[in-house]
Amino acid sequence: SSLSHSSSILIVGAGTWGCSTALHLARRGYTSIAVLDRYPVPSPISAGDDVNKIFERLSCTDESDINSSVSAKLSEAAYRCWKDDPIFSPYLHETGIISAAITPEALRDVEAGLGYIDGEPWIKLNSKDDFRATMPSGVLTGDFPGWQGWWRKSAAGWVHARKSMESAASEAKRLGVTFITGEQKGRVTSLLYQSGDVSGAVTADGTQHRADRTILSAGAAATEIFSMKDQLRPTAWTLAHIAMTVEELKLFKNLPVLFNAEQGFFMEPDEDNHELKICDEHPGYCNWTSPGVSTPFAKHQVPKESERRIRDFLRDTIPHLADRPFTFARLCWCADTPDRNFLISKHPDHPSLLLAVGGSGHGFWYIPAIGGFIVDALEDKLDSQIKECYKWRPETASHRNWQDKQGRFGPPGSNRVMDLGDVYDWTSIEQQQNERT
Ligand code: FAD
């Protein structure tokens, strides 16, 4: 049937992109929108259920390069929304970023990825004193051994992830979107098919949710619901929190993001729970359940080797915090496409199914705008370059190299795609402290 504002639209997955899509549909006047999720927003397995995510404006560095042009279009659309849309603007923290690395290969990669925005220069950092001077005295007390980097004071920073996702969901609800959540009522076990097309989804309680259009935005779990023809590789990264004192919170306010492509990154501590989140950088962990099939699972612990990497990173940067106990940790699942471009496309064989997946490690900060592009795709009016870059493209995944680092780096020994099947030693953060997600 042709699409109209009264068409029924079913969104599978109320995570980062699902909440954004629900909001954009409602704002465009669609009146019959339902969203299914295993959990109420914020889902503890959503990659977006996190205190902070990095944002960095990108520019078009080469007009003849479609990827560069598309990145800049998305970046500018998202940035405009962060600035102007009251649903999101309270959660933008334009505090700048330091992008660093150690080995020549990683440094070349970091430098090539620096986006150039008029009037927002990158300042080269060459020494420990250069790095220390990027933050108030007493924050960075480390020696930064072998580090080099670039610092931009604006056009980058961080966004409060969970709060912006919740804000999108509550505005969508206010505009009439129905959220159906829970292990039984909201967890999708399969899509529904009719005459070769997709006609909705089935939940664990057996309910058939029929809809004129179905949007699959289940993040890393999408591969369990629909065959993505190897275009998604569910991959986990690792994060941990440490407690901060009230004095430290004050000192650590409005910090730029500190990112080392081979070691890890942190942003300022969360003001609500007084914790500093740290991620270690590496090419990721897969959970191979059969050849070529990595299956996500929830875990509120991280491998001990990840704890060691996080502490090594802290020893280089803020050594006085390097041994502080973790109060929280988790695996965070995302899914890479082979080219790390997003996948926003109707399915060639099922015209009523729209795929909105492939976050590829950088899909959070587009949350204010991404739903608009997803609705454009549903309405067959997606910008032609974006459509081309984000199309259904199984040919790019045939004979996929599952060990491909996808342009990522890690410290010596962890500079490879790792296998959770090889991990026997996990942190043992107390459950009581660990219940909050
Ligand atoms: P999710 O937000 O994961 O949403 C998927 C949803 O599907 C969840 O709500 C889940 O509950 C639901 N679901 C799963 N299975 C089912 C089912 N069977 N039925 C119904 N619902 C289901 N991006 C940035 O921009 N900046 C960053 O700094 C950044 N850092 C990151 C750090 C880490 C450690 C990780 C893992 C990712 C990071 N990303 C970052 C990437 C970003 O988080 C993701 O690209 C983005 O959140 C993906 O959104 P999504 O909607 O595709 O998936």
Side-chain angles (χ1 to χ4, degrees), residues 12-19 36-39 42-50 52-55 165 186-189 217-222 224-225 235-239 265 267 277 279 331-335 342 356-366:
V12 177
T16 315
W17 287 18
C19 289
L36 300 171
D37 201 291
R38 276 178 79 173
Y39 299 96
S43 162
I45 61 167
S46 160
D49 181 37
D50 194 356
N52 50 36
K53 297 285 187 198
I54 302 171
F55 94 85
M165 190 162 70
R187 180 166 62 89
V188 169
T189 51
S217 55
E224 292 167 49
I225 298 169
T235 306
W237 282 272
T238 34
L239 64 91
F265 59 94
M267 288 155 257
K277 177 192 103 171
C279 286
L331 296 181
C332 178
W333 289 87
C334 197
F342 302 149
V357 291
S360 299
H362 60 119
F364 189 88
W365 87 269
Y366 300 101

Side-chain angles (χ1 to χ4, degrees), residues 7-13 21 25 32-37 178 180 188 190-192 198-203 207-217 352-354 378:
S7 299
S8 53
I9 299 172
L10 187 67
I11 301 174
V12 177
T21 305
L25 281 167
S32 174
I33 310 159
V35 193
L36 300 171
D37 201 291
T178 307
I180 303 166
V188 169
S190 69
L191 298 181
L192 263 174
V198 165
S199 56
V202 187
T203 42
T207 306
Q208 300 193 344
H209 300 264
R210 294 195 179 278
D212 297 320
R213 297 289 185 277
T214 303
I215 300 174
L216 182 60
S217 55
S352 301
L353 174 64
L354 182 83
L378 194 74

Side-chain angles (χ1 to χ4, degrees), residues 403-437:
Q403 303 305 320
D404 189 354
K405 294 194 290 174
Q406 311 266 174
R408 292 187 173 87
F409 300 91
S414 306
N415 190 7
R416 63 195 161 84
V417 175
M418 294 173 284
D419 183 349
L420 283 168
D422 296 337
V423 174
Y424 298 100
D425 220 2
W426 292 81
T427 53
S428 48
I429 300 162
E430 274 180 39
Q431 207 49 48
Q432 196 188 352
Q433 290 171 298
N434 203 18
E435 267 166 9
R436 189 197 56 249
T437 47

Side-chain angles (χ1 to χ4, degrees), residues 270-343:
D270 186 54
E271 60 188 5
D272 300 315
N273 57 21
H274 297 197
E275 289 176 348
L276 181 76
K277 177 192 103 171
I278 313 115
C279 286
D280 51 329
E281 267 296 307
H282 47 75
Y285 284 99
C286 289
N287 175 43
W288 300 114
T289 46
S290 60
V293 179
S294 171
T295 306
F297 62 93
K299 188 153 178 118
H300 284 83
Q301 302 290 348
V302 292
K304 273 279 189 191
E305 61 196 34
S306 163
E307 173 170 8
R308 278 193 291 277
R309 287 189 298 261
I310 287 172
R311 298 200 183 286
D312 286 346
F313 166 63
L314 287 175
R315 250 182 285 284
D316 274 13
T317 56
I318 0 177
H320 56 285
L321 299 184
D323 295 312
R324 203 169 278 188
F326 289 171
T327 48
F328 174 83
R330 81 156 166 126
L331 296 181
C332 178
W333 289 87
C334 197
D336 279 5
T337 59
D339 53 18
R340 287 185 67 186
N341 276 335
F342 302 149
L343 199 165

Side-chain angles (χ1 to χ4, degrees), residues 16 48 50-56 78-79 82-83 88-96 156-165 257 267-268 270 277 363-368:
T16 315
D50 194 356
V51 288
N52 50 36
K53 297 285 187 198
I54 302 171
F55 94 85
E56 192 180 327
Y79 185 69
W82 281 112
K83 289 299 239 189
F88 296 102
S89 57
Y91 312 114
L92 176 77
H93 299 263
E94 193 164 350
T95 54
W158 60 278
V159 297
H160 199 299
R162 183 181 305 130
K163 287 182 181 174
S164 46
M165 190 162 70
V257 175
M267 288 155 257
E268 71 189 64
D270 186 54
K277 177 192 103 171
F364 189 88
W365 87 269
Y366 300 101
I367 186 172

